[in-house]
Amino acid sequence: MLYPQLNYKRSIISLDGFWDFALDPENNQESNWYKSIPKQYEVAVPASWNEQHQDLMNFFETGWYQKEFYIPQEMQGKLLHLRIGSANYLSKVWINGHYLGEHEGGHLPFEFEISEFIHYDQENKVVIAVDARFLPDRLPPGNVEDEQIIGFKGQYPNNYYDFFPYGGIERSVVIYATNQSYMEQIKIDTEVIGNSGVIHYQVTFNKLVTGIFKVVLNKQSHQSAINNVSSIQGSVKIDEAILWSPKNPHLYELKFILNEQEMEDHYIMMIGIRTIEIKGTKLLLNGEEIFLRGFGMHEDFPVLGKGINEAVIIKDFNMLKWMGANSIRTSHYPYSEEFLDYADRSGLLIIGETPFVDFVRSHYKGDKILSQAKKVISEMIYRDYNHPSIIMWSLANEGDTFVPEADAFYKALYNHAKSLDGQRPISIVNCVDIKGDVALKHFDVICLNRYYGWYEQAGRIDLGCSVLNLKLDECYEVFKKPIMITEFGADAVAGIHFDPPQQFSEEYQSDMVTKQYEIIEGKPYTIGAHVWCYADFKTSQCPSRVVMNRKGLLTRERQPKLAAHAIRRLWKKE
Ligand code: BDP
């Protein structure tokens, strides 16, 4: 599914803005609201609904959205597609009373072809029901009853993982128009041969097409006649190619042009040529060793919740750069396409993560969760495959990998992801200990979240550091694979100071993260260290959270704490 684009042959109508909104606390999917909803509220799209009205903060049932719109008559004869950037969690969609379908899962886009239901002489109405319940068989799970709970238990709301379970339409809604024949998917692979770069493309059409297909790079056009084909593949070679890297995120602009009888389609792609590989215990980018320093983070901002906002994206990239980070993990779900595009342009390296947080034993039973998990992995990899910024996939965060059933479950996830992307390293993130972990061994990189000096050795930074030091070596002896610390960190409530450093003070966080970073970076087998986390973020309520998780080096409003300055001094040294 290509990102909607405004160009010579494609147009976009935005449906973002104010939508009518009504609450369906009984989740009564039988109601006739699909024709028209009672207007109880107005809410803004894109944004989670929770922080927009006081009484929606803890609403986690079904919210119905409705918007009226017109379509210009000149668009008759075009194919119109309704695309929802993401909605959390299960969405059902109607246009003018016609049911279009449903999509399960937040954080990934979905779309429907709507031309036959559109009126060109009167108003149109789109209705979207978003069911935001957290249930044990959703990804991530909520309201879990399990004998071996690792995650958060008994918090309010009881969503089980450590971020607020925002609901709603969180990314943009657009209608985009194409001609009757168009490019549905473009897959890009790049290769470096000596000083040349090769861009391999595979373009899939929505139907069989006959005509001319052109690929244009730097005014050079490669043209082929096509006859009754549903896809085409080919390569473009660039002599003396400039490789994409964090220092020089060079992108080539490739134009794909389909010329079918009277029907034409254009799509412009920005492509980075780079290689990524694991060699022994090293991560190599364009053949050179790279150490990933950066953060786990969240899509989270006051009022917006998980709603996309481009100004926040720009601010985040500026703060990441200011601290000297070269990478982030999209903890704990796929981030917006806009974020990834910006990463391609800025040279930020990305570990792309699924929304599988805190899987528990009951998830490994039967095929239901496994098949939904595979579907989500496919959607994520299809959407994000072409981004040069993505250098690794993380298929789960802190699932229960200590029960025998986890072995086959995660192996199946690994094989599925590998079949879709044979090139990037793939990992999952282990929690607490490697002892008894049956899943990690299947993965290319050993990712660990470790809180020595915080949840363990609480209050004792030096002891936490010695434990970290020992445990890292032990872990390497077991796996003999590259290790990445995907989380380490401490809460600090901005403004709390204490000497000598005490937990929750800015001094404690600053001391702990800098000391631990140096230990991790000093090991010959580590490929990266990501501080947990970039900025404070909203969580459910529980006794260990002061409204939110305070492990950010920045506040939720993106103001630096002491630790941000300290890590900056360390990372900017290079
Ligand atoms: C880790 C989780 C992360 C939490 C963090 C914490 O991966 O989502 O927010 O701990 O406790 O276990 O701060």
Side-chain angles (χ1 to χ4, degrees), residues 246 283 290-297 320 324-330 347-351 389 391 484 527-531 571:
L283 174 68
I290 185 151
F291 189 82
L292 303 175
R293 43 166 210 272
F295 298 94
M297 51 198 296
L320 287 165
N326 65 6
S327 55
I328 63 110
R329 174 172 58 126
T330 69
L348 187 74
L349 298 165
I350 305 280
I351 300 174
S389 53
I391 42 132
M484 159 119 198
I527 61 161
H530 278 178
V531 178
W571 290 353

mmCIF file of all heavy atoms in Angstrom, residues 246 283 290-297 320 324-330 347-351 389 391 484 527-531 571:
data_model
loop_
_atom_site.group_PDB
_atom_site.id
_atom_site.type_symbol
_atom_site.label_atom_id
_atom_site.label_comp_id
_atom_site.label_asym_id
_atom_site.label_seq_id
_atom_site.Cartn_x
_atom_site.Cartn_y
_atom_site.Cartn_z
ATOM 1 N N PRO A 246 23.820 7.951 8.119
ATOM 2 C CA PRO A 246 23.419 9.024 9.036
ATOM 3 C C PRO A 246 24.163 10.330 8.755
ATOM 4 O O PRO A 246 23.593 11.412 8.869
ATOM 5 C CB PRO A 246 23.780 8.473 10.417
ATOM 6 C CG PRO A 246 23.705 6.997 10.262
ATOM 7 C CD PRO A 246 24.176 6.717 8.859
ATOM 8 N N LEU A 283 27.702 -4.726 13.738
ATOM 9 C CA LEU A 283 26.674 -4.260 12.827
ATOM 10 C C LEU A 283 27.370 -3.349 11.818
ATOM 11 O O LEU A 283 28.049 -2.386 12.208
ATOM 12 C CB LEU A 283 25.613 -3.473 13.612
ATOM 13 C CG LEU A 283 24.531 -2.789 12.782
ATOM 14 C CD1 LEU A 283 23.622 -3.816 12.107
ATOM 15 C CD2 LEU A 283 23.685 -1.865 13.664
ATOM 16 N N ILE A 290 29.030 0.262 12.960
ATOM 17 C CA ILE A 290 28.263 1.373 13.533
ATOM 18 C C ILE A 290 27.706 0.951 14.884
ATOM 19 O O ILE A 290 27.289 -0.189 15.060
ATOM 20 C CB ILE A 290 27.156 1.855 12.572
ATOM 21 C CG1 ILE A 290 26.458 3.089 13.145
ATOM 22 C CG2 ILE A 290 26.118 0.779 12.271
ATOM 23 C CD1 ILE A 290 25.916 4.013 12.104
ATOM 24 N N PHE A 291 27.750 1.864 15.843
ATOM 25 C CA PHE A 291 27.202 1.605 17.177
ATOM 26 C C PHE A 291 25.931 2.444 17.320
ATOM 27 O O PHE A 291 25.942 3.654 17.091
ATOM 28 C CB PHE A 291 28.230 1.989 18.250
ATOM 29 C CG PHE A 291 27.812 1.559 19.628
ATOM 30 C CD1 PHE A 291 28.027 0.245 20.059
ATOM 31 C CD2 PHE A 291 27.185 2.447 20.485
ATOM 32 C CE1 PHE A 291 27.615 -0.167 21.320
ATOM 33 C CE2 PHE A 291 26.775 2.042 21.751
ATOM 34 C CZ PHE A 291 26.994 0.733 22.169
ATOM 35 N N LEU A 292 24.840 1.785 17.679
ATOM 36 C CA LEU A 292 23.556 2.487 17.764
ATOM 37 C C LEU A 292 23.420 3.163 19.129
ATOM 38 O O LEU A 292 23.325 2.492 20.157
ATOM 39 C CB LEU A 292 22.405 1.500 17.565
ATOM 40 C CG LEU A 292 22.436 0.715 16.249
ATOM 41 C CD1 LEU A 292 21.310 -0.313 16.209
ATOM 42 C CD2 LEU A 292 22.332 1.669 15.057
ATOM 43 N N ARG A 293 23.440 4.481 19.133
ATOM 44 C CA ARG A 293 23.200 5.188 20.393
ATOM 45 C C ARG A 293 21.930 6.007 20.217
ATOM 46 O O ARG A 293 21.737 6.675 19.198
ATOM 47 C CB ARG A 293 24.377 6.055 20.811
ATOM 48 C CG ARG A 293 25.010 6.844 19.722
ATOM 49 C CD ARG A 293 25.920 7.909 20.244
ATOM 50 N NE ARG A 293 25.867 8.977 19.262
ATOM 51 C CZ ARG A 293 26.666 9.036 18.203
ATOM 52 N NH1 ARG A 293 27.601 8.122 18.014
ATOM 53 N NH2 ARG A 293 26.533 10.013 17.339
ATOM 54 N N GLY A 294 21.065 5.873 21.196
ATOM 55 C CA GLY A 294 19.797 6.578 21.054
ATOM 56 C C GLY A 294 18.806 6.162 22.104
ATOM 57 O O GLY A 294 19.182 5.904 23.255
ATOM 58 N N PHE A 295 17.554 6.005 21.669
ATOM 59 C CA PHE A 295 16.473 5.861 22.638
ATOM 60 C C PHE A 295 15.389 4.907 22.171
ATOM 61 O O PHE A 295 15.146 4.767 20.977
ATOM 62 C CB PHE A 295 15.776 7.219 22.834
ATOM 63 C CG PHE A 295 16.675 8.282 23.372
ATOM 64 C CD1 PHE A 295 17.330 9.146 22.506
ATOM 65 C CD2 PHE A 295 16.869 8.412 24.732
ATOM 66 C CE1 PHE A 295 18.168 10.140 22.998
ATOM 67 C CE2 PHE A 295 17.702 9.406 25.237
ATOM 68 C CZ PHE A 295 18.354 10.268 24.367
ATOM 69 N N GLY A 296 14.681 4.370 23.149
ATOM 70 C CA GLY A 296 13.323 3.910 22.926
ATOM 71 C C GLY A 296 12.439 5.119 23.158
ATOM 72 O O GLY A 296 12.800 6.020 23.922
ATOM 73 N N MET A 297 11.331 5.208 22.479
ATOM 74 C CA MET A 297 10.465 6.370 22.678
ATOM 75 C C MET A 297 9.002 5.976 22.560
ATOM 76 O O MET A 297 8.657 4.796 22.558
ATOM 77 C CB MET A 297 10.863 7.515 21.734
ATOM 78 C CG MET A 297 10.997 7.196 20.278
ATOM 79 S SD MET A 297 11.946 8.462 19.354
ATOM 80 C CE MET A 297 10.945 9.941 19.498
ATOM 81 N N LEU A 320 16.704 14.878 19.261
ATOM 82 C CA LEU A 320 17.536 13.672 19.114
ATOM 83 C C LEU A 320 18.919 14.060 18.600
ATOM 84 O O LEU A 320 19.947 13.604 19.089
ATOM 85 C CB LEU A 320 16.869 12.676 18.151
ATOM 86 C CG LEU A 320 15.632 11.948 18.710
ATOM 87 C CD1 LEU A 320 14.832 11.279 17.584
ATOM 88 C CD2 LEU A 320 16.018 10.905 19.758
ATOM 89 N N GLY A 324 22.739 14.013 20.201
ATOM 90 C CA GLY A 324 23.771 13.195 19.530
ATOM 91 C C GLY A 324 23.321 11.779 19.252
ATOM 92 O O GLY A 324 24.160 10.907 18.989
ATOM 93 N N ALA A 325 22.015 11.512 19.308
ATOM 94 C CA ALA A 325 21.527 10.159 19.021
ATOM 95 C C ALA A 325 21.640 9.882 17.529
ATOM 96 O O ALA A 325 21.467 10.785 16.709
ATOM 97 C CB ALA A 325 20.065 10.035 19.451
ATOM 98 N N ASN A 326 21.925 8.621 17.182
ATOM 99 C CA ASN A 326 21.923 8.264 15.753
ATOM 100 C C ASN A 326 20.806 7.272 15.427
ATOM 101 O O ASN A 326 20.658 6.873 14.277
ATOM 102 C CB ASN A 326 23.283 7.715 15.308
ATOM 103 C CG ASN A 326 23.643 6.389 15.981
ATOM 104 O OD1 ASN A 326 22.828 5.806 16.700
ATOM 105 N ND2 ASN A 326 24.852 5.920 15.759
ATOM 106 N N SER A 327 20.033 6.867 16.454
ATOM 107 C CA SER A 327 19.049 5.817 16.195
ATOM 108 C C SER A 327 17.961 5.807 17.263
ATOM 109 O O SER A 327 18.156 6.329 18.370
ATOM 110 C CB SER A 327 19.736 4.452 16.195
ATOM 111 O OG SER A 327 20.440 4.282 17.414
ATOM 112 N N ILE A 328 16.824 5.195 16.919
ATOM 113 C CA ILE A 328 15.748 4.987 17.895
ATOM 114 C C ILE A 328 15.066 3.659 17.573
ATOM 115 O O ILE A 328 15.218 3.113 16.483
ATOM 116 C CB ILE A 328 14.673 6.102 17.882
ATOM 117 C CG1 ILE A 328 13.939 6.160 16.537
ATOM 118 C CG2 ILE A 328 15.243 7.460 18.195
ATOM 119 C CD1 ILE A 328 12.543 5.717 16.577
ATOM 120 N N ARG A 329 14.305 3.166 18.556
ATOM 121 C CA ARG A 329 13.440 2.008 18.305
ATOM 122 C C ARG A 329 12.008 2.518 18.347
ATOM 123 O O ARG A 329 11.663 3.317 19.227
ATOM 124 C CB ARG A 329 13.674 0.952 19.390
ATOM 125 C CG ARG A 329 12.726 -0.245 19.307
ATOM 126 C CD ARG A 329 13.133 -1.362 20.280
ATOM 127 N NE ARG A 329 13.171 -0.886 21.642
ATOM 128 C CZ ARG A 329 12.500 -1.451 22.661
ATOM 129 N NH1 ARG A 329 11.744 -2.510 22.457
ATOM 130 N NH2 ARG A 329 12.598 -0.950 23.883
ATOM 131 N N THR A 330 11.182 2.074 17.442
ATOM 132 C CA THR A 330 9.788 2.536 17.431
ATOM 133 C C THR A 330 8.999 1.743 18.484
ATOM 134 O O THR A 330 8.033 1.065 18.190
ATOM 135 C CB THR A 330 9.112 2.391 16.049
ATOM 136 O OG1 THR A 330 8.925 0.994 15.764
ATOM 137 C CG2 THR A 330 9.898 3.044 14.935
ATOM 138 N N GLY A 347 18.609 10.934 8.259
ATOM 139 C CA GLY A 347 19.695 10.001 8.569
ATOM 140 C C GLY A 347 19.583 9.369 9.944
ATOM 141 O O GLY A 347 20.588 8.962 10.520
ATOM 142 N N LEU A 348 18.385 9.280 10.481
ATOM 143 C CA LEU A 348 18.205 8.595 11.769
ATOM 144 C C LEU A 348 17.958 7.115 11.493
ATOM 145 O O LEU A 348 17.128 6.775 10.649
ATOM 146 C CB LEU A 348 17.000 9.192 12.510
ATOM 147 C CG LEU A 348 16.803 8.689 13.948
ATOM 148 C CD1 LEU A 348 17.853 9.302 14.875
ATOM 149 C CD2 LEU A 348 15.398 9.032 14.450
ATOM 150 N N LEU A 349 18.687 6.249 12.192
ATOM 151 C CA LEU A 349 18.505 4.805 11.999
ATOM 152 C C LEU A 349 17.365 4.320 12.889
ATOM 153 O O LEU A 349 17.224 4.771 14.031
ATOM 154 C CB LEU A 349 19.799 4.061 12.360
ATOM 155 C CG LEU A 349 21.003 4.440 11.490
ATOM 156 C CD1 LEU A 349 22.298 3.966 12.126
ATOM 157 C CD2 LEU A 349 20.850 3.859 10.088
ATOM 158 N N ILE A 350 16.585 3.376 12.343
ATOM 159 C CA ILE A 350 15.350 2.982 13.038
ATOM 160 C C ILE A 350 15.307 1.477 13.227
ATOM 161 O O ILE A 350 15.519 0.709 12.283
ATOM 162 C CB ILE A 350 14.117 3.363 12.182
ATOM 163 C CG1 ILE A 350 14.120 4.847 11.810
ATOM 164 C CG2 ILE A 350 12.822 2.965 12.870
ATOM 165 C CD1 ILE A 350 13.638 5.772 12.859
ATOM 166 N N ILE A 351 14.987 1.067 14.450
ATOM 167 C CA ILE A 351 14.594 -0.328 14.672
ATOM 168 C C ILE A 351 13.069 -0.315 14.680
ATOM 169 O O ILE A 351 12.447 0.317 15.529
ATOM 170 C CB ILE A 351 15.129 -0.858 16.015
ATOM 171 C CG1 ILE A 351 16.658 -0.793 16.025
ATOM 172 C CG2 ILE A 351 14.632 -2.283 16.261
ATOM 173 C CD1 ILE A 351 17.283 -1.163 17.356
ATOM 174 N N SER A 389 16.124 4.091 6.313
ATOM 175 C CA SER A 389 16.389 4.324 7.743
ATOM 176 C C SER A 389 16.160 3.069 8.579
ATOM 177 O O SER A 389 16.767 2.919 9.646
ATOM 178 C CB SER A 389 15.504 5.467 8.263
ATOM 179 O OG SER A 389 14.150 5.215 7.959
ATOM 180 N N ILE A 391 16.802 -0.336 9.887
ATOM 181 C CA ILE A 391 17.962 -1.225 9.792
ATOM 182 C C ILE A 391 17.733 -2.548 10.494
ATOM 183 O O ILE A 391 18.546 -3.458 10.390
ATOM 184 C CB ILE A 391 19.230 -0.565 10.364
ATOM 185 C CG1 ILE A 391 18.876 0.166 11.661
ATOM 186 C CG2 ILE A 391 19.856 0.381 9.380
ATOM 187 C CD1 ILE A 391 19.844 -0.171 12.711
ATOM 188 N N MET A 484 22.416 -6.000 21.934
ATOM 189 C CA MET A 484 22.000 -4.591 21.977
ATOM 190 C C MET A 484 21.196 -4.403 23.258
ATOM 191 O O MET A 484 20.290 -5.190 23.552
ATOM 192 C CB MET A 484 21.141 -4.325 20.742
ATOM 193 C CG MET A 484 20.244 -3.136 20.847
ATOM 194 S SD MET A 484 20.652 -1.940 19.586
ATOM 195 C CE MET A 484 19.877 -0.475 20.260
ATOM 196 N N ILE A 527 26.271 -3.886 19.942
ATOM 197 C CA ILE A 527 26.083 -3.066 18.732
ATOM 198 C C ILE A 527 25.257 -1.815 19.033
ATOM 199 O O ILE A 527 24.999 -1.016 18.136
ATOM 200 C CB ILE A 527 25.413 -3.865 17.598
ATOM 201 C CG1 ILE A 527 24.015 -4.355 18.008
ATOM 202 C CG2 ILE A 527 26.298 -5.021 17.146
ATOM 203 C CD1 ILE A 527 23.154 -4.733 16.834
ATOM 204 N N GLY A 528 24.813 -1.657 20.288
ATOM 205 C CA GLY A 528 24.073 -0.446 20.559
ATOM 206 C C GLY A 528 23.544 -0.357 21.969
ATOM 207 O O GLY A 528 23.488 -1.351 22.692
ATOM 208 N N ALA A 529 23.195 0.872 22.360
ATOM 209 C CA ALA A 529 22.628 1.124 23.684
ATOM 210 C C ALA A 529 21.556 2.191 23.528
ATOM 211 O O ALA A 529 21.847 3.313 23.098
ATOM 212 C CB ALA A 529 23.709 1.592 24.637
ATOM 213 N N HIS A 530 20.324 1.818 23.841
ATOM 214 C CA HIS A 530 19.223 2.781 23.771
ATOM 215 C C HIS A 530 18.708 3.062 25.180
ATOM 216 O O HIS A 530 18.263 2.149 25.879
ATOM 217 C CB HIS A 530 18.077 2.225 22.905
ATOM 218 C CG HIS A 530 18.306 2.418 21.438
ATOM 219 N ND1 HIS A 530 17.428 1.969 20.479
ATOM 220 C CD2 HIS A 530 19.309 3.050 20.763
ATOM 221 C CE1 HIS A 530 17.884 2.301 19.279
ATOM 222 N NE2 HIS A 530 19.020 2.946 19.419
ATOM 223 N N VAL A 531 18.765 4.321 25.556
ATOM 224 C CA VAL A 531 18.256 4.731 26.866
ATOM 225 C C VAL A 531 16.730 4.643 26.839
ATOM 226 O O VAL A 531 16.091 5.007 25.854
ATOM 227 C CB VAL A 531 18.664 6.198 27.170
ATOM 228 C CG1 VAL A 531 18.092 6.645 28.510
ATOM 229 C CG2 VAL A 531 20.175 6.362 27.126
ATOM 230 N N TRP A 571 27.760 11.788 23.998
ATOM 231 C CA TRP A 571 27.530 11.397 22.605
ATOM 232 C C TRP A 571 28.106 12.393 21.609
ATOM 233 O O TRP A 571 28.368 12.048 20.464
ATOM 234 C CB TRP A 571 26.026 11.215 22.344
ATOM 235 C CG TRP A 571 25.469 9.997 23.038
ATOM 236 C CD1 TRP A 571 26.174 9.057 23.710
ATOM 237 C CD2 TRP A 571 24.091 9.599 23.107
ATOM 238 N NE1 TRP A 571 25.322 8.094 24.202
ATOM 239 C CE2 TRP A 571 24.034 8.401 23.842
ATOM 240 C CE3 TRP A 571 22.902 10.138 22.626
ATOM 241 C CZ2 TRP A 571 22.839 7.738 24.111
ATOM 242 C CZ3 TRP A 571 21.711 9.482 22.881
ATOM 243 C CH2 TRP A 571 21.687 8.284 23.622
#
